[in-house]
């Protein structure tokens, strides 16, 4: 028998769907794919209401067994099976087991490897985002073993991939609230790996270097190094403009109206015209807002950004994802975090005393609109690539500002 390790963050186990009380229902605003078994179950149901709704509102696509059809949405963008109380008629009439695979699993996700399953929740669900951001120990993991006659038919996790992921995660843990110090240290680790000899000594050399930079975090050496890095408001303002324009071009779908409230506040403070000569000064003002107001406000919720960064390291199996170079994945994560922190700062400045729910809204709506799109990462990297011509050194300003 083969041992399969099942990994679960604590916020995964704590999740419970809130049904009709959800502020942005998952049964609205995007395509809902149905597998073949589900399509036939609904079309042949003994429940007349279910059968009639299926007959009128399931569009048969037959793309694959797992994607045999999709729901035709109502005029308000809701699933045709949603009732007046925003509850699922299928669930109420036929029970949970009658739900399609998509509906039964969401927002749960499972990344499968040869000997491991990593359970997670997608943050496009407002309740999942709320639990992650408001629970201090949301990203504590538990592991259990499941015996299986065969390994999972999936790639194995390479030893170096696992080692780098653990190192980067532990760097962020050691950095605590000082997230920028953590990312600066991660950048140093990746630069060392890039320049190291790829021979039998690589792992030992990487471990020795890792131990030295952890010591630098603890003794204040990293903090001292960061102070010597100058802010580059021309670069960060240009990057923020690119990110804002990217959001503008991808502003249709579930979560769009929520995210738009926050992007409009940011545009009012920073603008989004990349040719404006005022952008660097606006960027400097945003930096001041972050340091003097946003950080103070976030002290009420010290685990919010820490949990989010740890979630992203876990979700992405950072830094080696999708065959991209680690620097590309670091650039992507730093840029997205920079955008989210800018949205938070704009909210603090314009709203005065935002609520915890505002941060949840920013995170879930961004994930719903952008990260729920499987092509979004590549599109975003293409968008910001011209600004990253200096390679890893281009990322230094993002480790200093905010």
């Amino acid at each position: 028998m083969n041992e399969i390790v099942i990994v679960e963050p604590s916020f995964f186990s704590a999740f419970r769907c809130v049904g009709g009380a959800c502020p942005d229902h998952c049964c609205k605003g995007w395509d809902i794919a149905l597998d073949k078994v589900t399509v036939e179950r609904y079309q042949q149901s003994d429940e007349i209401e279910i059968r009639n709704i299926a007959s009128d509102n399931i569009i048969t696509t037959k793309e694959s067994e797992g994607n045999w059809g999709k729901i035709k949405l109502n005029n308000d963008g809701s699933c045709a099976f949603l009732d007046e109380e925003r509850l699922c008629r299928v669930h109420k009439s036929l029970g949970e087991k009658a739900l399609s695979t998509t509906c039964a699993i969401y927002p749960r996700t499972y990344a499968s490897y040869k000997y491991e399953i990593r359970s997670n929740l997608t943050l496009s669900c407002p309740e999942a985002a709320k639990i992650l951001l408001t629970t201090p120990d949301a990203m504590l993991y538990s592991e259990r073993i499941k015996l299986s006659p065969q390994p999972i038919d999936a790639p194995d996790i390479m030893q170096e991939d696992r080692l780098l992921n653990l190192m980067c995660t532990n760097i962020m843990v050691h950095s605590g609230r000082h997230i920028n110090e953590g990312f600066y240290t991660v950048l140093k680790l990746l630069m060392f790996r890039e320049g190291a000899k790829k021979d039998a000594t690589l792992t030992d050399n990487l471990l020795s270097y890792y131990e030295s930079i952890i010591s630098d975090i603890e003794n204040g050496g990293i903090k001292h190094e960061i102070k010597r890095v100058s802010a580059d408001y021309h670069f960060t303002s240009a990057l923020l403009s690119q990110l804002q324009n990217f959001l503008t071009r991808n502003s249709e779908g579930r979560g769009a109206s929520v995210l738009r409230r926050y992007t409009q506040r940011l545009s009012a403070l920073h603008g989004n015209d990349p040719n404006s000569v005022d952008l660097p000064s606006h960027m400097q003002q945003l930096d001041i807002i972050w340091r003097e107001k946003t950080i103070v406000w976030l002290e009420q919720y010290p685990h919010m950004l820490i949990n989010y960064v740890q979630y992203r390291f876990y979700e992405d199996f950072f830094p080696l994802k999708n065959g991209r170079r680690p620097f590309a994945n670091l650039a992507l994560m730093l840029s997205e975090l920079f955008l989210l922190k800018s949205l938070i700062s704009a909210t603090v400045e314009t709203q005065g005393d935002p609520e915890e729910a505002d941060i949840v809204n920013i995170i879930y709506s961004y994930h719903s609109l952008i990260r729920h799109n499987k092509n979004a990462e590549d599109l975003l990297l293409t968008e910001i690539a011209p600004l990253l011509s200096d390679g890893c050194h281009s990322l230094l300003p993002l480790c200093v500002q905010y």
Side-chain angles (χ1 to χ4, degrees):
M1 299 293 282
N2 295 272
E3 291 189 349
I4 308 298
V5 179
I6 300 176
V7 185
E8 292 184 356
S10 65
F11 92 114
F12 176 90
S13 308
F15 174 79
R16 300 292 183 276
C17 177
V18 296
C22 185
D24 195 358
H25 219 286
C26 58
C27 305
K28 181 179 181 179
W30 51 22
D31 287 340
I32 302 169
L34 303 176
D35 55 273
K36 182 179 181 180
V37 172
T38 300
V39 170
E40 293 176 348
R41 180 189 295 126
Y42 295 172
Q43 290 176 338
Q44 300 168 17
S45 176
D46 292 335
E47 294 286 337
I48 295 176
E49 182 183 33
I50 299 299
R51 191 168 66 246
N52 288 341
I53 293 174
S55 177
D56 294 338
N57 296 282
I58 291 181
I59 302 169
T60 305
T61 59
K62 299 184 180 181
E63 292 182 13
S64 66
E65 292 280 325
N67 189 2
W68 199 255
K70 66 178 182 178
I71 299 291
K72 182 168 64 177
L73 303 180
N74 294 332
N75 292 333
D76 68 349
S78 298
C79 173
F81 288 105
L82 209 62
D83 67 13
E84 296 77 9
E85 298 175 327
R86 299 204 307 167
L87 297 173
C88 177
R89 288 186 173 91
V90 173
H91 193 288
K92 290 171 72 173
S93 300
L94 305 180
E96 184 178 356
K97 292 183 178 180
L99 294 173
S100 69
T101 301
T102 299
C103 296
I105 290 178
Y106 182 86
R108 301 166 188 85
T109 65
Y110 302 93
S112 295
Y113 301 92
K114 190 173 184 179
Y115 298 104
E116 186 171 313
I117 298 173
R118 295 166 70 87
S119 310
N120 205 359
L121 299 175
T122 173
L123 299 189
S124 58
C125 168
E127 184 65 15
K130 178 182 177 182
I131 297 172
L132 172 73
L133 297 172
T134 62
T135 307
D137 296 326
M139 286 306 296
L140 285 179
Y141 310 147
S142 64
E143 295 183 356
R144 55 189 175 89
I145 303 295
K146 181 179 75 172
L147 297 179
S148 173
Q150 300 293 332
I152 298 172
D153 185 15
D156 200 357
I157 298 176
M158 302 299 292
Q159 186 65 28
E160 187 192 1
D161 293 7
R162 188 184 295 280
L163 180 62
L164 274 175
N165 177 255
L166 287 172
M167 286 179 172
C168 291
T169 300
N170 286 336
I171 285 170
M172 299 310 298
V173 170
H174 275 81
S175 301
R177 299 184 191 183
H178 307 290
I179 291 174
N180 282 12
E181 293 182 21
F183 276 113
Y184 178 84
T185 308
V186 166
L187 177 59
K188 291 189 65 172
L189 178 70
L190 297 183
M191 291 174 66
F192 176 85
R193 174 185 174 272
E194 185 81 0
K197 290 184 178 180
K198 305 303 186 291
D199 58 20
T201 66
L202 176 61
T203 298
D204 288 341
N205 291 338
L206 202 57
L207 283 168
S208 295
Y209 186 74
Y210 165 77
E211 290 172 359
S212 71
I213 54 179
I214 288 292
S215 295
D216 287 341
I217 293 174
E218 295 172 345
N219 64 28
I222 295 296
K223 185 186 296 293
H224 183 69
E225 285 186 35
I226 288 180
K227 287 181 178 178
R228 298 202 301 265
V229 180
S230 300
D232 185 347
Y233 295 122
H234 285 86
F235 167 76
T236 51
S237 62
L239 175 62
L240 187 55
S241 291
Q242 291 289 91
L243 295 169
Q244 288 175 276
N245 289 331
F246 179 79
L247 286 183
T248 300
R249 292 197 305 275
N250 295 272
S251 59
E252 297 297 329
R254 179 175 169 271
S257 61
V258 174
L259 187 59
R260 194 174 298 119
R261 295 204 305 266
Y262 298 97
T263 56
Q264 287 171 347
R265 293 171 181 173
L266 178 58
S267 294
L269 288 176
H270 178 257
N272 57 6
D273 179 2
N275 298 314
S276 172
V277 296
D278 296 324
L279 284 186
S281 61
H282 293 166
M283 188 74 259
Q284 185 175 9
Q285 184 60 34
L286 267 175
D287 195 16
I288 293 171
I289 292 168
W290 174 264
R291 297 177 190 280
E292 296 184 356
K293 298 181 181 181
T294 311
I295 288 178
V296 175
W297 182 82
L298 282 171
E299 286 177 354
Q300 304 171 73
Y301 314 103
H303 45 273
M304 273 192 166
L305 292 180
I306 296 172
N307 284 2
Y308 181 71
V309 171
Q310 289 182 4
Y311 168 89
R312 290 293 301 271
F313 277 36
Y314 175 79
E315 180 194 37
D316 296 350
F317 211 91
F318 181 85
L320 299 167
K321 181 184 180 185
N322 293 339
R324 290 192 292 259
R325 293 179 65 239
F327 288 125
N329 288 323
L330 180 59
L332 179 68
M333 189 175 297
L334 279 171
S335 299
E336 289 185 285
L337 187 62
F338 176 60
L339 172 61
L340 294 170
K341 290 160 77 174
S342 298
L343 291 168
I344 294 171
S345 275
T347 301
V348 170
E349 176 68 6
T350 58
Q351 195 167 313
D353 189 19
E355 298 178 355
E356 189 178 75
D358 287 300
I359 313 304
V360 174
N361 284 342
I362 289 171
I363 298 296
Y364 103 77
S365 61
Y366 178 79
H367 275 251
S368 178
L369 191 62
I370 302 300
R371 292 196 60 81
H372 205 74
N373 178 350
K374 64 181 181 180
N375 299 316
E377 289 187 353
D378 290 333
L379 292 172
L380 186 52
L381 279 171
T382 300
E383 183 82 18
I384 64 177
L387 297 172
L388 303 175
S389 58
D390 198 21
C392 58
H393 296 287
S394 301
L395 303 180
L396 284 173
L398 293 176
C399 297
V400 175
Q401 191 171 330
Y402 292 10

